[in-house]
């Protein structure tokens, strides 16, 4: 089991950039570096939207809708995952969740999310 | 519009059964397994079903999944008021190398 805690949310002006982070702890069995990690978001009143994924080998995959505006990175020495979003718009306002890539082609362990509000 | 199509809502009385479908809206999606997620407002999603039909430890056997062809199905039997939530299917598109979620289905217990 892994405990995931997101941080870095808040109110940001449209057009600015934001970095949200995810700290992993309570790692039993596998180190953080062994996990692939996802970012998923949910805008108010909307469904889940996949943002992107970084493998344990640090290869990244991004949603087409966000490609070019986001960077997902990880610092295995600090058990931390990051998501940088540039050129924020009101459509980026959402709860952002980090989650582990499961061993069975699923997304299995989730953080509680951090809320991003974009002011125009 | 999501590449995985779910009904926006389903409902049934307590004790009854609901079925939620998840259909590939595009034949271009190439994926293997489907997983299902339960989402309550203000809380993190929870993995409910993985590899089409397997339950993680702790998920009641009232929840079951299946897949046939390009459609997957989640069945909630013996519906309880605590099952009122949004349910999402998801899969990894191996051709486009992106994860895809369905649009979500709201389950209401009448």
């Amino acid at each position: 089991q892994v405990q995931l805690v997101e941080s870095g949310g808040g109110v940001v002006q449209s057009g600015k950039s934001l970095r949200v982070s995810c700290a992993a702890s309570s790692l039993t069995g596998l180190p953080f570096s062994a996990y692939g990690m996802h970012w998923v978001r949910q805008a108010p009143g909307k469904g889940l939207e996949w943002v992107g994924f970084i493998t344990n080998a640090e290869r990244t995959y991004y949603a087409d809708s966000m490609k070019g505006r986001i960077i997902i990175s990880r610092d295995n020495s600090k058990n931390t995952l990051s998501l940088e979003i540039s050129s924020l718009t009101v459509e980026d306002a959402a709860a952002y969740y980090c989650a582990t890539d499961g061993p069975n082609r699923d997304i299995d362990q989730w953080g509680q999310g951090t809320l991003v509000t974009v002011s125009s | 519009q999501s590449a995985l199509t779910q009904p926006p809502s389903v409902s049934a009385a307590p004790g009854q059964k609901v079925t939620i479908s998840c259909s590939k809206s595009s034949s271009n999606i190439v994926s293997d397994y489907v997983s299902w997620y339960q989402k309550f407002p203000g809380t993190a999603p929870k993995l409910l079903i993985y590899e089409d039909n397997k339950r993680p430890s702790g998920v009641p056997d009232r929840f079951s999944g299946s897949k046939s062809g390009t459609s997957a199905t989640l069945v909630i039997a013996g519906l309880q008021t605590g099952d009122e939530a949004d349910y999402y299917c998801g899969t990894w598109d191996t051709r486009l190398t992106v994860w895809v979620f369905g649009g979500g289905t709201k389950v209401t217990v009448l």
Side-chain angles (χ1 to χ4, degrees):
Chain A
Q1 279 292 83
V2 177
Q3 184 176 7
L4 301 170
V5 178
E6 300 90 341
S7 62
V11 181
V12 187
Q13 268 191 319
S14 179
K16 300 292 187 181
S17 298
L18 177 72
R19 183 186 185 108
V20 291
S21 299
C22 170
S25 62
S26 300
L27 295 154
T28 55
L30 290 176
F32 176 69
S33 59
Y35 289 93
M37 298 295 298
H38 294 266
W39 284 102
V40 176
R41 70 181 183 178
Q42 185 177 35
K46 303 292 187 181
L48 297 178
E49 180 185 13
W50 180 75
V51 173
F53 167 55
I54 185 167
T55 71
N56 53 8
E58 304 201 26
R59 183 170 180 177
T60 52
Y61 300 86
Y62 299 137
D64 287 345
S65 61
M66 302 192 75
K67 210 172 284 186
R69 286 200 306 125
I70 64 171
I71 297 174
I72 296 176
S73 60
R74 63 192 300 160
D75 185 340
N76 292 330
S77 68
K78 297 180 179 178
N79 293 346
T80 299
L81 174 74
S82 295
L83 168 66
E84 292 181 66
I85 313 173
S86 60
S87 304
L88 283 158
T89 72
V90 293
E91 283 74 38
D92 293 315
Y96 286 77
Y97 299 95
C98 65
T100 57
D101 187 54
N104 307 301
R105 298 279 197 176
D106 52 54
I107 302 177
D108 63 347
Q109 300 177 79
W110 299 71
Q112 288 303 306
T114 187
L115 187 62
V116 173
T117 302
V118 182
S119 65
S120 55
Chain B
Q1 183 178 350
S2 174
L4 296 177
T5 300
Q6 299 181 232
S9 64
V10 296
S11 61
Q16 298 300 304
K17 177 178 75 173
V18 293
T19 300
I20 302 171
S21 59
C22 171
S23 303
K24 292 182 183 179
S25 55
S26 167
S27 59
N28 291 327
I29 293 179
V30 178
S31 68
D32 37 30
Y33 294 121
V34 171
S35 48
W36 289 90
Y37 303 84
Q38 180 187 56
K39 175 81 171 59
F40 294 102
T43 69
K46 172 187 173 183
L47 177 64
L48 209 58
I49 297 287
Y50 66 94
E51 284 187 2
D52 301 336
N53 55 21
K54 296 180 173 63
R55 285 184 305 275
S57 174
V59 173
D61 59 6
R62 301 185 297 104
F63 296 89
S64 62
S66 63
K67 192 175 79 177
S68 177
T70 58
S71 289
T73 300
L74 174 70
V75 174
I76 309 175
L79 202 60
Q80 301 177 0
T81 55
D83 297 331
E84 282 204 338
D86 295 319
Y87 293 83
Y88 296 87
C89 59
T91 192
W92 177 255
D93 185 324
T94 54
R95 185 179 69 87
L96 296 179
T97 59
V98 295
W99 183 268
V100 181
F101 283 110
T105 299
K106 182 177 183 60
V107 170
T108 300
V109 182
L110 300 174

